[in-house]
Amino acid sequence: MPPTESGGTPAIEFRDVEKRFGDHTVLKGLNFTVSPGERVTLIGPSGSGKTTILRLIMTLESLTGGYIDVHGEPLTHMERGGKRVALPGKQVRANTKRIGMVFQHFNLFPNMTVIENLVEAPVHVLGMKKAEAVEKARGLLQKVGLSDKENEHPSRLSGGQQQRVAIARALAMDPDILLLDEVTSALDPELVDDVLQVLRDIAEETDITMLIVTHEMQFARDVSQRVMMFDGGVILEEGHPEDIFTNPREERTRRFLSAVLD
């Protein structure tokens, strides 16, 4: 397994990954790594394959070809005797326990209170004692500024509050990897800053590996250690945020940034 730039095992590694939906190829022989603790943002036009990458890591979509490794272990497929072999479902589920994802549209359980949303998975997936899970959940609600909302149902919260609950719910699983899929795109503009500040705090205060899809370019610039520009299912270029945003090499990147920044 190739090491990361820092010499360790990658937190995430894509090897010759392909994803097709019918005759449409979304990802074409994709290869990249993300180091432990690294914060990487994927930018590019809609339909370029960014969200598909996150959904493949979360096993919400199935690989058409290639391999994904997480912390050096195969996620859904491995090579055995020169053949590509799918892992058993139980093993795949175990592999995703420490991967958290925050979705564009919150995906909270509407029939549960805020605190119940946070406690459900730690108790039933990780086997955490309920009292411990509740204590942890309350600490996370304090972190996202919603201590007074633990007994509310999601329908009684604003979009920004629901998204902060969703972030807290993802963190309740103690993820090694946090996937963020356009987490502000469904919010009213005046609610965006609160959610982004929570994510900035997480980036500053934890060593969680973060893979981010966003059109919030200033957020990407502030939080990321590396930015990858996607188009047509391939990486056009990648680099430090300052390099990508101030002096991109590719004309396609310049046109995309010009459009989204304007």
Side-chain angles (χ1 to χ4, degrees), residues 43 226-229 235-255 257:
I43 64 171
R226 180 159 50 110
V227 172
M228 297 195 294
M229 170 67 187
I235 302 171
L236 289 185
E237 62 177 305
E238 61 181 299
H240 189 275
E242 288 304 310
D243 296 331
I244 296 295
F245 288 115
T246 61
N247 190 31
R249 297 188 309 273
E250 298 292 329
E251 171 62 23
R252 180 69 184 95
T253 307
R254 289 193 288 273
R255 286 190 285 113
L257 289 175

Side-chain angles (χ1 to χ4, degrees), residues 18 45 52 59 70 79 93 99 111-112 128 132 138 147 164 176 180 196 215 218 262:
E18 292 191 4
T52 299
T59 69
V70 173
E79 190 171 348
R93 289 190 293 274
I99 303 173
N111 60 319
M112 295 183 180
M128 189 181 294
E132 181 184 353
R138 285 179 173 152
S147 294
R164 282 185 280 157
D176 299 317
L180 303 171
L196 293 183
H215 280 97
Q218 188 59 53
D262 288 346

Side-chain angles (χ1 to χ4, degrees), residues 138-149 161 164 198:
R138 285 179 173 152
L140 289 168
L141 289 175
Q142 183 176 10
K143 180 185 289 288
V144 301
L146 293 173
S147 294
D148 60 334
K149 302 295 184 184
Q161 289 170 332
R164 282 185 280 157
V198 168

Side-chain angles (χ1 to χ4, degrees), residues 97-127:
K97 279 184 180 180
R98 297 297 184 182
I99 303 173
M101 185 165 177
V102 183
F103 299 85
Q104 178 178 344
H105 293 290
F106 324 138
N107 286 23
L108 299 173
F109 299 118
N111 60 319
M112 295 183 180
T113 64
V114 165
I115 196 82
E116 288 169 343
N117 265 278
L118 267 65
V119 166
E120 177 75 6
V123 169
H124 292 101
V125 178
L126 298 183

